[in-house]
Amino acid sequence: MARNKIALIGGGQIGGTIALLAGLKELGDVVISDILDGVPQGKALDIAESSPILGFDADLSGGRGHAQIKDADVVIVTAGVSRRPGMSRDDLLAVNAKVMCAAGAAIGKYAPNAFVIVITNPLDAMVWALQKASGLPPRKVVGMAGVLDSARFRWFLAEEFKVSVEDVTAFVLGGHGEALVPLFRYSTVGGIPLPDLVKLGWTTKDRLDEIAQRVRDQGTEVVDLLKVGNASPIYAPAAAAIEMADSYLKDKKRILPCAAHLSGHYGVKDLYVGVPVVIGAAGVEKVVEVTLGPAEKTAFQKSVASVRTLVDVTRRLEPSLG
Ligand code: APR
């Protein structure tokens, strides 16, 4: 049986790391498409040369231009400009919306049956733009944000309680970063919901709120620490995209928080918002809808409103998206 084909549109920091992880996990052959010539070829060759040491079989190639993504099973989009210190996600919108239009058109032309994972920021608007530009069914186009946000939340909780990350789950809703809505009552340590841990005296509600805020600020915290050039988070975003691709390619039906197209779920229409979904061979196979309490509903609606504002700006910048 032929190997799966994973196409990366954008072979920068995150794209290169995804290529390595895809190899390590033997998810399939990898092609890296970038606007630069040389960088994708160089990264593909470098990673291919690591394969005899790391022990994986995969063809890796790269180059300029999108024709090489032809018939990809999965396309992961990181193309665009990344955030610099002091730059908000929204500042990126004007540049990256154009990149999504070009990448979307190429996916529609060369890889119309692919499952597409968008990472480019500002995520919730960029995934909307890419789906429109590609014409692919909305269930085949998702945004990577929630897996990363919940991983960050899980890491901080594991540190807080001095337990394994494997025993911590975190349930998040809403937009990426600042617009994140963590649901404490569905987040657990060893199966115990966070509010129960407050009652048991393990932590306090204030401390949990502080951790949630740190998760929201995480993109900025890492950018501020890295301080060099246009450096921004790389490894956790790449790992998150790989987890989503893995669930699709192996039909694992993982329940993962993703920016998914909502068509009435949670009272939202034609918008990509972070919600838990089942990812399997059909793409987004189910949106998991939970009942929200009044405070959760207010926070979620605020998050949806901020996503809608970004999408409205994108629509104005790129009227062809409709
Ligand atoms: N087509 C293809 N590739 C492009 C295009 C384009 N139109 N425009 C830019 N690129 C390429 C760049 O040449 C670069 O190699 O996209 C790559 C982006 O890589 P980095 O700048 O290293 O950014 P990275 O850290 O990988 O982040 C990518 O993910 O988390 C988000 O905010 C982040 O939007 C950013 C994206």
Side-chain angles (χ1 to χ4, degrees):
M1 200 166 75
R3 290 185 202 130
N4 290 315
K5 176 171 175 177
I6 297 149
L8 310 180
I9 300 188
Q13 303 270 42
I14 298 176
T17 307
I18 290 173
L20 175 64
L21 293 177
L24 276 171
K25 286 192 72 110
E26 292 198 322
L27 287 189
D29 295 332
V30 179
V31 294
I32 308 174
S33 167
D34 201 282
I35 203 164
L36 299 175
D37 198 18
V39 171
Q41 291 94 325
K43 289 197 181 186
L45 182 58
D46 188 15
I47 294 168
E49 288 168 354
S50 77
S51 66
I53 306 165
L54 296 170
F56 64 83
D57 286 297
D59 287 335
L60 283 118
S61 60
R64 224 193 121 124
H66 293 324
Q68 59 194 318
I69 74 168
K70 193 167 171 13
D71 297 333
D73 299 289
V74 169
V75 181
I76 304 179
V77 181
T78 58
V81 174
S82 64
R83 210 151 41 126
R84 293 174 184 87
M87 197 180 182
S88 78
R89 283 202 176 83
D90 306 4
D91 296 336
L92 300 176
L93 195 142
V95 180
N96 286 351
K98 288 226 170 318
V99 178
M100 291 308 103
C101 288
I107 293 167
K109 182 172 174 190
Y110 295 115
N113 297 317
F115 180 60
V116 182
I117 301 167
V118 178
I119 301 185
T120 305
N121 275 319
L123 189 269
D124 306 282
M126 293 304 98
V127 61
W128 177 90
L130 188 125
Q131 187 274 321
K132 296 281 179 205
S134 69
L136 264 62
R139 70 185 155 76
K140 297 296 284 294
V141 181
V142 291
M144 187 296 294
V147 174
L148 173 61
D149 288 324
S150 80
R152 288 169 165 166
F153 195 24
R154 288 170 65 195
W155 161 244
F156 291 137
L157 290 171
E159 267 209 314
E160 175 77 2
F161 297 122
K162 304 277 176 283
V163 297
S164 164
V165 288
E166 290 183 39
D167 293 322
V168 181
T169 69
F171 190 114
V172 297
L173 284 176
H176 187 32
E178 294 86 346
L180 177 77
V181 182
L183 294 199
F184 292 162
R185 65 202 169 95
Y186 291 128
S187 304
T188 66
V189 175
I192 306 167
L194 295 183
D196 289 1
L197 290 174
V198 172
K199 282 187 209 146
L200 290 171
W202 279 41
T203 187
T204 62
K205 170 77 170 50
D206 285 351
R207 183 70 193 123
L208 292 178
D209 287 336
E210 272 171 34
I211 292 173
Q213 191 54 44
R214 191 168 174 205
V215 174
R216 289 189 195 96
D217 295 339
Q218 223 14 236
T220 316
E221 185 178 339
V222 178
V223 167
D224 289 347
L225 282 168
L226 291 169
K227 280 195 189 83
V228 283
N230 64 351
S232 55
I234 303 167
Y235 305 105
I242 287 288
E243 187 173 50
M244 293 162 69
D246 188 55
S247 189
Y248 171 75
L249 289 170
K250 296 181 185 161
D251 192 22
K252 284 173 75 95
K253 304 194 193 295
R254 297 281 314 273
I255 299 179
L256 298 172
C258 301
H261 185 265
L262 301 186
S263 50
H265 315 88
Y266 289 95
V268 179
K269 277 210 176 109
D270 194 25
L271 215 55
Y272 273 84
V273 182
V275 290
V277 296
V278 176
I279 295 188
V284 172
E285 298 188 348
K286 188 184 173 80
V287 173
V288 180
E289 267 187 282
V290 296
T291 311
L292 302 179
E296 292 162 350
K297 202 177 263 177
T298 305
F300 182 70
Q301 282 166 349
K302 201 172 147 210
S303 186
V304 169
S306 77
V307 174
R308 198 176 290 285
T309 305
L310 281 182
V311 167
D312 287 345
V313 176
T314 310
R315 258 203 189 100
R316 274 200 298 281
L317 288 166
E318 301 294 338
S320 64
L321 294 173

